[in-house]
PDB file of all heavy atoms in Angstrom:
ATOM      1  N   GLY A  21     -28.605-112.115  21.759  1.00 97.00           N
ATOM      2  CA  GLY A  21     -28.923-112.950  22.914  1.00 97.00           C
ATOM      3  C   GLY A  21     -28.723-112.296  24.277  1.00 97.00           C
ATOM      4  O   GLY A  21     -28.770-112.978  25.306  1.00 97.00           O
ATOM      5  N   PHE A  22     -28.535-110.996  24.317  1.00 98.00           N
ATOM      6  CA  PHE A  22     -28.385-110.326  25.618  1.00 98.00           C
ATOM      7  C   PHE A  22     -29.658-109.553  25.949  1.00 98.00           C
ATOM      8  O   PHE A  22     -30.454-109.239  25.065  1.00 98.00           O
ATOM      9  CB  PHE A  22     -27.166-109.386  25.587  1.00 98.00           C
ATOM     10  CG  PHE A  22     -25.875-110.111  25.329  1.00 98.00           C
ATOM     11  CD1 PHE A  22     -25.350-110.194  24.032  1.00 98.00           C
ATOM     12  CD2 PHE A  22     -25.204-110.755  26.360  1.00 98.00           C
ATOM     13  CE1 PHE A  22     -24.175-110.892  23.780  1.00 98.00           C
ATOM     14  CE2 PHE A  22     -24.016-111.450  26.113  1.00 98.00           C
ATOM     15  CZ  PHE A  22     -23.509-111.516  24.825  1.00 98.00           C
ATOM     16  N   GLN A  23     -29.809-109.273  27.252  1.00 97.00           N
ATOM     17  CA  GLN A  23     -31.057-108.628  27.674  1.00 97.00           C
ATOM     18  C   GLN A  23     -31.111-107.162  27.253  1.00 97.00           C
ATOM     19  O   GLN A  23     -30.089-106.482  27.166  1.00 97.00           O
ATOM     20  CB  GLN A  23     -31.191-108.724  29.198  1.00 97.00           C
ATOM     21  CG  GLN A  23     -31.510-110.131  29.666  1.00 97.00           C
ATOM     22  CD  GLN A  23     -31.362-110.226  31.171  1.00 97.00           C
ATOM     23  OE1 GLN A  23     -30.262-110.154  31.695  1.00 97.00           O
ATOM     24  NE2 GLN A  23     -32.485-110.352  31.860  1.00 97.00           N
ATOM     25  N   ARG A  24     -32.364-106.718  27.048  1.00 97.00           N
ATOM     26  CA  ARG A  24     -32.617-105.367  26.552  1.00 97.00           C
ATOM     27  C   ARG A  24     -31.982-104.285  27.436  1.00 97.00           C
ATOM     28  O   ARG A  24     -31.396-103.342  26.943  1.00 97.00           O
ATOM     29  CB  ARG A  24     -34.141-105.176  26.507  1.00 97.00           C
ATOM     30  CG  ARG A  24     -34.624-103.927  25.813  1.00 97.00           C
ATOM     31  CD  ARG A  24     -36.140-103.966  25.692  1.00 97.00           C
ATOM     32  NE  ARG A  24     -36.581-105.133  24.924  1.00 97.00           N
ATOM     33  CZ  ARG A  24     -36.719-105.144  23.595  1.00 97.00           C
ATOM     34  NH1 ARG A  24     -36.481-104.054  22.907  1.00 97.00           N
ATOM     35  NH2 ARG A  24     -37.096-106.226  22.962  1.00 97.00           N
ATOM     36  N   PHE A  25     -32.109-104.446  28.766  1.00 98.00           N
ATOM     37  CA  PHE A  25     -31.632-103.367  29.650  1.00 98.00           C
ATOM     38  C   PHE A  25     -30.108-103.179  29.574  1.00 98.00           C
ATOM     39  O   PHE A  25     -29.580-102.126  29.889  1.00 98.00           O
ATOM     40  CB  PHE A  25     -32.098-103.586  31.101  1.00 98.00           C
ATOM     41  CG  PHE A  25     -31.276-104.573  31.879  1.00 98.00           C
ATOM     42  CD1 PHE A  25     -30.270-104.134  32.741  1.00 98.00           C
ATOM     43  CD2 PHE A  25     -31.500-105.934  31.779  1.00 98.00           C
ATOM     44  CE1 PHE A  25     -29.506-105.042  33.473  1.00 98.00           C
ATOM     45  CE2 PHE A  25     -30.743-106.850  32.495  1.00 98.00           C
ATOM     46  CZ  PHE A  25     -29.738-106.409  33.346  1.00 98.00           C
ATOM     47  N   ARG A  26     -29.412-104.216  29.074  1.00 98.00           N
ATOM     48  CA  ARG A  26     -27.953-104.098  28.902  1.00 98.00           C
ATOM     49  C   ARG A  26     -27.621-103.030  27.848  1.00 98.00           C
ATOM     50  O   ARG A  26     -26.597-102.351  27.946  1.00 98.00           O
ATOM     51  CB  ARG A  26     -27.350-105.438  28.481  1.00 98.00           C
ATOM     52  CG  ARG A  26     -27.475-106.527  29.539  1.00 98.00           C
ATOM     53  CD  ARG A  26     -26.602-106.220  30.729  1.00 98.00           C
ATOM     54  NE  ARG A  26     -26.694-107.239  31.755  1.00 98.00           N
ATOM     55  CZ  ARG A  26     -26.370-107.042  33.032  1.00 98.00           C
ATOM     56  NH1 ARG A  26     -25.946-105.849  33.444  1.00 98.00           N
ATOM     57  NH2 ARG A  26     -26.465-108.015  33.897  1.00 98.00           N
ATOM     58  N   ALA A  27     -28.510-102.923  26.843  1.00 98.00           N
ATOM     59  CA  ALA A  27     -28.266-101.937  25.782  1.00 98.00           C
ATOM     60  C   ALA A  27     -28.243-100.524  26.369  1.00 98.00           C
ATOM     61  O   ALA A  27     -27.387 -99.713  26.028  1.00 98.00           O
ATOM     62  CB  ALA A  27     -29.338-102.053  24.709  1.00 98.00           C
ATOM     63  N   ALA A  28     -29.187-100.268  27.289  1.00 97.00           N
ATOM     64  CA  ALA A  28     -29.238 -98.938  27.909  1.00 97.00           C
ATOM     65  C   ALA A  28     -27.969 -98.673  28.718  1.00 97.00           C
ATOM     66  O   ALA A  28     -27.445 -97.551  28.737  1.00 97.00           O
ATOM     67  CB  ALA A  28     -30.475 -98.836  28.805  1.00 97.00           C
ATOM     68  N   GLN A  29     -27.473 -99.729  29.371  1.00 97.00           N
ATOM     69  CA  GLN A  29     -26.229 -99.565  30.147  1.00 97.00           C
ATOM     70  C   GLN A  29     -25.038 -99.263  29.229  1.00 97.00           C
ATOM     71  O   GLN A  29     -24.253 -98.363  29.508  1.00 97.00           O
ATOM     72  CB  GLN A  29     -25.952-100.835  30.966  1.00 97.00           C
ATOM     73  CG  GLN A  29     -26.929-101.027  32.114  1.00 97.00           C
ATOM     74  CD  GLN A  29     -26.649-102.328  32.872  1.00 97.00           C
ATOM     75  OE1 GLN A  29     -26.293-103.345  32.266  1.00 97.00           O
ATOM     76  NE2 GLN A  29     -26.831-102.310  34.181  1.00 97.00           N
ATOM     77  N   VAL A  30     -24.955-100.022  28.139  1.00 98.00           N
ATOM     78  CA  VAL A  30     -23.846 -99.798  27.194  1.00 98.00           C
ATOM     79  C   VAL A  30     -23.945 -98.384  26.616  1.00 98.00           C
ATOM     80  O   VAL A  30     -22.961 -97.644  26.534  1.00 98.00           O
ATOM     81  CB  VAL A  30     -23.851-100.861  26.067  1.00 98.00           C
ATOM     82  CG1 VAL A  30     -22.832-100.526  24.986  1.00 98.00           C
ATOM     83  CG2 VAL A  30     -23.572-102.253  26.636  1.00 98.00           C
ATOM     84  N   TRP A  31     -25.179 -97.999  26.247  1.00 97.00           N
ATOM     85  CA  TRP A  31     -25.407 -96.651  25.688  1.00 97.00           C
ATOM     86  C   TRP A  31     -24.924 -95.583  26.672  1.00 97.00           C
ATOM     87  O   TRP A  31     -24.269 -94.607  26.295  1.00 97.00           O
ATOM     88  CB  TRP A  31     -26.890 -96.467  25.376  1.00 97.00           C
ATOM     89  CG  TRP A  31     -27.202 -95.119  24.784  1.00 97.00           C
ATOM     90  CD1 TRP A  31     -27.620 -94.007  25.458  1.00 97.00           C
ATOM     91  CD2 TRP A  31     -27.092 -94.725  23.410  1.00 97.00           C
ATOM     92  NE1 TRP A  31     -27.774 -92.948  24.595  1.00 97.00           N
ATOM     93  CE2 TRP A  31     -27.459 -93.359  23.325  1.00 97.00           C
ATOM     94  CE3 TRP A  31     -26.714 -95.404  22.238  1.00 97.00           C
ATOM     95  CZ2 TRP A  31     -27.462 -92.661  22.120  1.00 97.00           C
ATOM     96  CZ3 TRP A  31     -26.732 -94.696  21.026  1.00 97.00           C
ATOM     97  CH2 TRP A  31     -27.093 -93.346  20.990  1.00 97.00           C
ATOM     98  N   SER A  32     -25.257 -95.793  27.928  1.00 95.00           N
ATOM     99  CA  SER A  32     -24.891 -94.814  28.944  1.00 95.00           C
ATOM    100  C   SER A  32     -23.365 -94.694  29.074  1.00 95.00           C
ATOM    101  O   SER A  32     -22.819 -93.598  29.163  1.00 95.00           O
ATOM    102  CB  SER A  32     -25.581 -95.206  30.255  1.00 95.00           C
ATOM    103  OG  SER A  32     -24.848 -94.783  31.341  1.00 95.00           O
ATOM    104  N   TRP A  33     -22.660 -95.832  29.016  1.00 96.00           N
ATOM    105  CA  TRP A  33     -21.190 -95.776  29.058  1.00 96.00           C
ATOM    106  C   TRP A  33     -20.626 -95.044  27.842  1.00 96.00           C
ATOM    107  O   TRP A  33     -19.714 -94.227  27.957  1.00 96.00           O
ATOM    108  CB  TRP A  33     -20.584 -97.191  29.122  1.00 96.00           C
ATOM    109  CG  TRP A  33     -20.690 -97.823  30.477  1.00 96.00           C
ATOM    110  CD1 TRP A  33     -21.421 -98.926  30.802  1.00 96.00           C
ATOM    111  CD2 TRP A  33     -20.037 -97.402  31.678  1.00 96.00           C
ATOM    112  NE1 TRP A  33     -21.271 -99.216  32.139  1.00 96.00           N
ATOM    113  CE2 TRP A  33     -20.430 -98.301  32.699  1.00 96.00           C
ATOM    114  CE3 TRP A  33     -19.170 -96.360  31.998  1.00 96.00           C
ATOM    115  CZ2 TRP A  33     -19.990 -98.186  34.017  1.00 96.00           C
ATOM    116  CZ3 TRP A  33     -18.716 -96.232  33.306  1.00 96.00           C
ATOM    117  CH2 TRP A  33     -19.133 -97.139  34.304  1.00 96.00           C
ATOM    118  N   LEU A  34     -21.197 -95.378  26.681  1.00 95.00           N
ATOM    119  CA  LEU A  34     -20.702 -94.736  25.455  1.00 95.00           C
ATOM    120  C   LEU A  34     -20.940 -93.226  25.522  1.00 95.00           C
ATOM    121  O   LEU A  34     -20.088 -92.434  25.135  1.00 95.00           O
ATOM    122  CB  LEU A  34     -21.400 -95.334  24.217  1.00 95.00           C
ATOM    123  CG  LEU A  34     -21.046 -96.792  23.888  1.00 95.00           C
ATOM    124  CD1 LEU A  34     -21.936 -97.318  22.766  1.00 95.00           C
ATOM    125  CD2 LEU A  34     -19.566 -96.923  23.487  1.00 95.00           C
ATOM    126  N   SER A  35     -22.103 -92.842  26.065  1.00 92.00           N
ATOM    127  CA  SER A  35     -22.422 -91.406  26.186  1.00 92.00           C
ATOM    128  C   SER A  35     -21.474 -90.708  27.152  1.00 92.00           C
ATOM    129  O   SER A  35     -21.192 -89.527  27.008  1.00 92.00           O
ATOM    130  CB  SER A  35     -23.853 -91.192  26.676  1.00 92.00           C
ATOM    131  OG  SER A  35     -24.732 -91.894  25.867  1.00 92.00           O
ATOM    132  N   LYS A  36     -21.010 -91.458  28.149  1.00 89.00           N
ATOM    133  CA  LYS A  36     -20.078 -90.872  29.125  1.00 89.00           C
ATOM    134  C   LYS A  36     -18.666 -90.749  28.555  1.00 89.00           C
ATOM    135  O   LYS A  36     -17.766 -90.251  29.226  1.00 89.00           O
ATOM    136  CB  LYS A  36     -20.023 -91.741  30.379  1.00 89.00           C
ATOM    137  CG  LYS A  36     -21.150 -91.454  31.343  1.00 89.00           C
ATOM    138  CD  LYS A  36     -20.955 -92.251  32.638  1.00 89.00           C
ATOM    139  CE  LYS A  36     -22.280 -92.423  33.341  1.00 89.00           C
ATOM    140  NZ  LYS A  36     -22.502 -93.795  33.801  1.00 89.00           N
ATOM    141  N   GLY A  37     -18.472 -91.297  27.375  1.00 90.00           N
ATOM    142  CA  GLY A  37     -17.160 -91.143  26.722  1.00 90.00           C
ATOM    143  C   GLY A  37     -16.167 -92.243  27.048  1.00 90.00           C
ATOM    144  O   GLY A  37     -14.963 -92.063  26.843  1.00 90.00           O
ATOM    145  N   VAL A  38     -16.670 -93.385  27.544  1.00 93.00           N
ATOM    146  CA  VAL A  38     -15.757 -94.515  27.790  1.00 93.00           C
ATOM    147  C   VAL A  38     -15.154 -94.974  26.461  1.00 93.00           C
ATOM    148  O   VAL A  38     -15.855 -95.044  25.446  1.00 93.00           O
ATOM    149  CB  VAL A  38     -16.539 -95.665  28.476  1.00 93.00           C
ATOM    150  CG1 VAL A  38     -15.855 -96.999  28.278  1.00 93.00           C
ATOM    151  CG2 VAL A  38     -16.690 -95.364  29.941  1.00 93.00           C
ATOM    152  N   THR A  39     -13.846 -95.222  26.440  1.00 93.00           N
ATOM    153  CA  THR A  39     -13.223 -95.531  25.153  1.00 93.00           C
ATOM    154  C   THR A  39     -12.795 -96.997  25.008  1.00 93.00           C
ATOM    155  O   THR A  39     -12.271 -97.389  23.988  1.00 93.00           O
ATOM    156  CB  THR A  39     -11.998 -94.615  24.906  1.00 93.00           C
ATOM    157  OG1 THR A  39     -11.125 -94.716  26.033  1.00 93.00           O
ATOM    158  CG2 THR A  39     -12.409 -93.175  24.697  1.00 93.00           C
ATOM    159  N   ASP A  40     -12.975 -97.803  26.074  1.00 94.00           N
ATOM    160  CA  ASP A  40     -12.782 -99.244  25.872  1.00 94.00           C
ATOM    161  C   ASP A  40     -13.817-100.034  26.673  1.00 94.00           C
ATOM    162  O   ASP A  40     -14.318 -99.567  27.696  1.00 94.00           O
ATOM    163  CB  ASP A  40     -11.333 -99.676  26.186  1.00 94.00           C
ATOM    164  CG  ASP A  40     -11.063 -99.705  27.664  1.00 94.00           C
ATOM    165  OD1 ASP A  40     -11.005 -98.607  28.271  1.00 94.00           O
ATOM    166  OD2 ASP A  40     -10.936-100.810  28.219  1.00 94.00           O
ATOM    167  N   PHE A  41     -14.137-101.222  26.144  1.00 97.00           N
ATOM    168  CA  PHE A  41     -15.249-101.989  26.716  1.00 97.00           C
ATOM    169  C   PHE A  41     -14.966-102.437  28.146  1.00 97.00           C
ATOM    170  O   PHE A  41     -15.892-102.635  28.927  1.00 97.00           O
ATOM    171  CB  PHE A  41     -15.588-103.167  25.801  1.00 97.00           C
ATOM    172  CG  PHE A  41     -16.122-102.728  24.460  1.00 97.00           C
ATOM    173  CD1 PHE A  41     -15.371-102.893  23.299  1.00 97.00           C
ATOM    174  CD2 PHE A  41     -17.374-102.134  24.357  1.00 97.00           C
ATOM    175  CE1 PHE A  41     -15.856-102.474  22.070  1.00 97.00           C
ATOM    176  CE2 PHE A  41     -17.873-101.708  23.129  1.00 97.00           C
ATOM    177  CZ  PHE A  41     -17.110-101.874  21.985  1.00 97.00           C
ATOM    178  N   ASP A  42     -13.700-102.584  28.504  1.00 96.00           N
ATOM    179  CA  ASP A  42     -13.375-102.988  29.875  1.00 96.00           C
ATOM    180  C   ASP A  42     -13.753-101.912  30.888  1.00 96.00           C
ATOM    181  O   ASP A  42     -13.917-102.201  32.079  1.00 96.00           O
ATOM    182  CB  ASP A  42     -11.883-103.309  29.988  1.00 96.00           C
ATOM    183  CG  ASP A  42     -11.587-104.675  29.376  1.00 96.00           C
ATOM    184  OD1 ASP A  42     -12.478-105.552  29.458  1.00 96.00           O
ATOM    185  OD2 ASP A  42     -10.491-104.849  28.814  1.00 96.00           O
ATOM    186  N   GLY A  43     -13.904-100.691  30.415  1.00 94.00           N
ATOM    187  CA  GLY A  43     -14.311 -99.600  31.309  1.00 94.00           C
ATOM    188  C   GLY A  43     -15.795 -99.653  31.666  1.00 94.00           C
ATOM    189  O   GLY A  43     -16.259 -98.898  32.525  1.00 94.00           O
ATOM    190  N   MET A  44     -16.561-100.539  31.013  1.00 96.00           N
ATOM    191  CA  MET A  44     -18.012-100.634  31.282  1.00 96.00           C
ATOM    192  C   MET A  44     -18.218-101.585  32.459  1.00 96.00           C
ATOM    193  O   MET A  44     -18.479-102.772  32.282  1.00 96.00           O
ATOM    194  CB  MET A  44     -18.737-101.129  30.021  1.00 96.00           C
ATOM    195  CG  MET A  44     -18.539-100.208  28.837  1.00 96.00           C
ATOM    196  SD  MET A  44     -19.457-100.760  27.396  1.00 96.00           S
ATOM    197  CE  MET A  44     -19.236 -99.362  26.309  1.00 96.00           C
ATOM    198  N   ARG A  45     -18.134-101.047  33.652  1.00 93.00           N
ATOM    199  CA  ARG A  45     -17.964-101.886  34.830  1.00 93.00           C
ATOM    200  C   ARG A  45     -19.180-102.726  35.218  1.00 93.00           C
ATOM    201  O   ARG A  45     -19.033-103.803  35.775  1.00 93.00           O
ATOM    202  CB  ARG A  45     -17.493-101.029  36.014  1.00 93.00           C
ATOM    203  CG  ARG A  45     -16.043-100.551  35.847  1.00 93.00           C
ATOM    204  CD  ARG A  45     -15.529 -99.896  37.095  1.00 93.00           C
ATOM    205  NE  ARG A  45     -16.341 -98.748  37.472  1.00 93.00           N
ATOM    206  CZ  ARG A  45     -16.141 -97.521  36.992  1.00 93.00           C
ATOM    207  NH1 ARG A  45     -15.160 -97.285  36.158  1.00 93.00           N
ATOM    208  NH2 ARG A  45     -16.920 -96.527  37.379  1.00 93.00           N
ATOM    209  N   ASN A  46     -20.396-102.243  34.929  1.00 95.00           N
ATOM    210  CA  ASN A  46     -21.572-103.034  35.321  1.00 95.00           C
ATOM    211  C   ASN A  46     -22.045-103.998  34.219  1.00 95.00           C
ATOM    212  O   ASN A  46     -23.123-104.565  34.294  1.00 95.00           O
ATOM    213  CB  ASN A  46     -22.721-102.118  35.742  1.00 95.00           C
ATOM    214  CG  ASN A  46     -23.102-101.137  34.646  1.00 95.00           C
ATOM    215  OD1 ASN A  46     -22.481-101.107  33.592  1.00 95.00           O
ATOM    216  ND2 ASN A  46     -24.131-100.350  34.895  1.00 95.00           N
ATOM    217  N   ILE A  47     -21.217-104.187  33.188  1.00 97.00           N
ATOM    218  CA  ILE A  47     -21.582-105.079  32.082  1.00 97.00           C
ATOM    219  C   ILE A  47     -20.935-106.447  32.321  1.00 97.00           C
ATOM    220  O   ILE A  47     -19.726-106.525  32.566  1.00 97.00           O
ATOM    221  CB  ILE A  47     -21.072-104.474  30.738  1.00 97.00           C
ATOM    222  CG1 ILE A  47     -21.645-103.073  30.513  1.00 97.00           C
ATOM    223  CG2 ILE A  47     -21.343-105.385  29.560  1.00 97.00           C
ATOM    224  CD1 ILE A  47     -23.131-103.005  30.342  1.00 97.00           C
TER     225      ILE A  47
END
Side-chain angles (χ1 to χ4, degrees):
F22 299 96
Q23 288 169 291
R24 190 173 300 271
F25 80 98
R26 295 291 180 201
Q29 290 178 323
V30 172
W31 181 265
S32 151
W33 284 115
L34 292 172
S35 307
K36 277 186 203 134
V38 158
T39 53
D40 74 290
F41 295 110
D42 283 328
M44 300 183 171
R45 289 189 301 274
N46 57 357
I47 302 296

